[in-house]
Amino acid sequence: MTGGSQLTPAGTEGRYEVFHTDCVARDVVGHVTSRWGVWVLISLQRNDLRFFELRESIQGISEKMLAQSLRALVADGLVWRRVEPTTPPQVTYGLTEFGRDVGEPLMDLFDRITRRLAD
């Protein structure tokens, strides 16, 4: 397979060849389903949060891993970042429309799992 066919939609459905290692959609799925990406999206599903609030809401995450996860999700267009010019700067994160669309099924999955475990 030569060329860039893995980066273009296949057919009229607008799907990507996700099983090819160079697929852009595959990278986004990797960031969403990473160890911390899921929790960032679920945390931001409820409301916009500042960096320290996110860190406190996701127990066990280090500042470094939170920063890396946020950087990847912002680059993918799932999360927006707003910096207020104060001292020190206040950085707030929230979900884009794309991020909400991707995060809703994750929230549903989380809710289903917790309901089952409660039984």
Side-chain angles (χ1 to χ4, degrees):
M1 179 183 221
T2 60
S5 63
Q6 68 278 6
L7 300 178
T8 57
T12 58
E13 302 159 6
R15 297 192 179 268
Y16 290 85
E17 300 208 21
V18 295
F19 295 107
H20 194 285
T21 57
D22 291 340
C23 180
V24 179
R26 187 175 178 163
D27 289 340
V28 175
V29 169
H31 296 149
V32 168
T33 60
S34 69
R35 178 175 183 187
W36 299 112
V38 171
W39 301 115
V40 169
L41 291 175
I42 288 174
S43 293
L44 290 174
Q45 197 71 29
R46 295 181 186 99
N47 54 10
D48 305 340
L49 296 171
R50 293 182 40 202
F51 185 88
F52 77 91
E53 293 170 322
L54 259 173
R55 190 184 69 228
E56 289 177 0
S57 73
I58 306 171
Q59 293 186 3
I61 192 169
S62 67
E63 284 189 27
K64 177 183 174 183
M65 290 310 302
L66 178 57
Q68 286 178 356
S69 297
L70 285 167
R71 198 173 301 119
L73 294 170
V74 167
D76 292 337
L78 296 162
V79 173
W80 55 260
R81 178 180 189 264
R82 181 180 61 230
V83 180
E84 296 179 32
T86 59
T87 305
Q90 293 183 3
V91 183
T92 306
Y93 295 91
L95 293 179
T96 63
E97 183 180 334
F98 180 34
R100 290 205 181 282
D101 195 32
V102 170
E104 284 179 24
L106 294 175
M107 210 45 197
D108 290 342
L109 176 64
F110 182 73
D111 289 342
R112 288 179 188 205
I113 291 170
T114 54
R115 276 195 311 266
R116 283 289 191 160
L117 292 175
D119 295 342

